[in-house]
Amino acid sequence: MKKLLLGVAFAALMSSSAMAAKIGVSMAKFDDNFLTVLRNGMIEQAKGMSGVELQVEDAQNDVAKQLDQIKNFAASGVDAIIVNPVDTSATQAMSDAAAAAKIPLVYVNRQPVNVDTLPDNQAFVASNEADSGTLETKEVCRLFKEAGKKEANVYVIMGELSNQAAVQRTKDIDDVIATPDCSFIKIIDKQTSNWDRDQAQNLMTNWLSTGKKFDGVIANNDESAIGAIQAMKAANVDMKSVVVGGVDATQDALAAMQAGDLDATVFQDAAGQGAGALDAALKLAKGEKVEHKVYVPFQLVTPANIDKFLKKN
C-alpha cells in the first residue's frame, strides 16, 4: 500500500512539473549572497521540469525598474510572475499591475505591505520573520548568561529600513530584550548597514573609534555580522570576548562560525523558499488555489549543530 501511495504521489508530482509554463522572475538584486542562493535554487528546480521556462531579471535595487519589469512580463504574456521586492512598502502597485493583466503573482522572501489583502491568484512564500530575530537574540542572551554576564551592552546593525524583514528582525531583538530573562542586555546604538558587508564594516569601525565598552553585536543579517567581525578583527578585538549574531546561515557565515568569529545565525532556507515560490506560481498558473502565506521554518544554527547546515545555503 505504501509503495502504491508513493507511486501515485510521484506521478502527480511529475504531471505537475510537466506543465509548460513561462515564469517571469524579478529579483531585488543579483549582488546579494542569500538572494543568489534563492535565485539559483529556482533556476535549478526549473531545469528539472519539462516545459518550465524562467525569465530572470535583476531590478538592481530600483523600485521603478522592478515595476517596469513586472509590466513587461505581463505584456509578454508570461503564465505567472515571481517577485523578490526591492521595497516591501511599494508592492501594492506591483499587485495591481499583475491583477490588471490577470496574471498570477508570487512574492518571495520579503513580505509585501499588502500581504493581508492579496487577491486569490497571488501569494507570499518566505519564512516568518517573527522567528528570525527572536531565535538569534535568545541565543545571544543565552550565551551572555552562560558567560556569567549580569549586564551586557550590544550594538544592533539593521538591514534596509524600507524592508519589512529588517523592521521585524529589529523588533524581535527589542522584544526579546524586553523580557525579564534578557532585560540585562542594553542596546547602546542601532544603525543600518542596508544589508551590506562593507557598510557594516565601516559602521563598526566608527563604533569602535568611540571607545565605548560593548559585549556583542546583533545583526539583521549575516553579511552585516561579517562586516562587523572584519572591523573588530582589524582593530585586534578578541573575538572570544564578544558575542556576534546574524541571520541567513550563508556559506560565508558558516565559515566565520567555524573560525570561532560568529556565535549564532539563523538558517533561512533560500532554496526552499525559491522552490516554494516556483511551486506556488505553477499552481496558480494552472488555476489551483494556494495559501496566501506559505512559510518555510527558520532554524537556529550554532557551533553545536553547524554540521547539519554546511551544505544547504
Side-chain angles (χ1 to χ4, degrees):
M1 177 60 74
K2 285 184 179 179
K3 287 184 178 179
L4 176 61
L5 289 173
L6 285 171
V8 171
F10 182 72
L13 177 64
M14 292 305 292
S15 64
S16 173
S17 65
M19 172 194 173
K22 184 173 182 180
I23 312 293
V25 181
S26 174
M27 298 296 298
K29 57 180 179 178
F30 283 6
D31 187 19
D32 178 279
N33 284 354
F34 178 83
L35 295 182
T36 296
V37 177
L38 192 155
R39 182 177 83 251
N40 288 341
M42 277 191 284
I43 292 170
E44 287 304 311
Q45 184 181 359
K47 284 180 181 177
M49 295 178 167
S50 176
V52 175
E53 179 188 348
L54 296 190
Q55 181 183 340
V56 186
E57 302 287 347
D58 181 3
Q60 298 177 334
N61 233 25
D62 184 322
V63 175
K65 188 184 199 70
Q66 185 161 62
L67 182 56
D68 283 343
Q69 288 172 350
I70 292 165
K71 290 178 178 178
N72 290 338
F73 286 148
S76 68
V78 297
D79 297 289
I81 298 169
I82 297 173
V83 181
N84 169 242
V86 170
D87 184 343
T88 53
S89 66
T91 51
Q92 185 63 58
M94 300 175 194
S95 285
D96 291 345
K102 298 181 180 180
I103 294 175
L105 183 148
V106 177
Y107 293 102
V108 63
N109 180 251
R110 297 177 174 180
Q111 181 172 303
V113 68
N114 56 320
V115 67
D116 292 322
T117 58
L118 292 175
D120 290 341
N121 67 341
Q122 296 186 19
F124 167 57
V125 178
S127 299
N128 190 345
E129 293 296 352
D131 298 329
S132 55
T134 300
L135 289 169
E136 173 193 19
T137 310
K138 282 185 174 180
E139 178 62 9
V140 169
C141 176
R142 187 191 72 79
L143 290 170
F144 281 148
K145 292 170 78 172
E146 186 177 78
K149 297 275 186 183
K150 302 297 183 184
E151 294 181 359
N153 293 326
V154 300
Y155 286 116
V156 172
I157 304 180
M158 301 180 288
E160 292 177 357
L161 301 183
S162 63
N163 192 292
Q164 181 272 341
V167 174
Q168 183 62 53
R169 290 177 190 180
T170 303
K171 182 180 183 298
D172 296 341
I173 296 168
D174 291 334
D175 288 349
V176 171
I177 291 175
T179 64
D181 214 31
C182 301
S183 60
F184 65 93
I185 301 174
K186 178 184 176 184
I187 297 173
I188 50 178
D189 197 7
K190 60 171 75 167
Q191 292 189 41
T192 180
S193 69
N194 296 305
W195 306 118
D196 186 79
R197 185 185 301 196
D198 291 339
Q199 289 187 42
Q201 184 172 359
N202 292 335
L203 177 58
M204 191 72 225
T205 299
N206 291 337
W207 279 333
L208 288 166
S209 70
T210 68
K212 287 184 180 178
K213 183 183 179 301
F214 69 99
D215 303 282
V217 176
I218 307 177
N220 279 175
N221 71 326
D222 286 337
E223 283 296 287
S224 296
I226 290 169
I229 288 167
Q230 290 174 334
M232 286 186 277
K233 294 181 81 168
N236 296 317
V237 173
D238 180 3
M239 296 308 298
K240 292 181 181 178
S241 70
V242 293
V243 174
V244 183
V247 176
D248 286 337
T250 62
Q251 287 300 309
D252 285 354
L254 298 181
M257 183 172 284
Q258 288 179 310
D261 299 328
L262 183 69
D263 299 284
T265 186
V266 180
F267 175 64
Q268 183 175 196
D269 191 346
Q273 289 182 12
L278 182 55
D279 179 62
L282 290 171
K283 285 180 178 177
L284 289 172
K286 291 170 66 178
E288 297 177 13
K289 287 192 175 182
V290 173
E291 291 290 329
H292 280 317
K293 298 177 184 178
V294 180
Y295 287 131
V296 180
F298 279 110
Q299 298 175 65
L300 179 66
V301 183
T302 69
N305 69 355
I306 190 173
D307 289 348
K308 290 169 50 182
F309 300 92
L310 290 174
K311 294 183 180 179
K312 292 192 174 181
N313 278 353

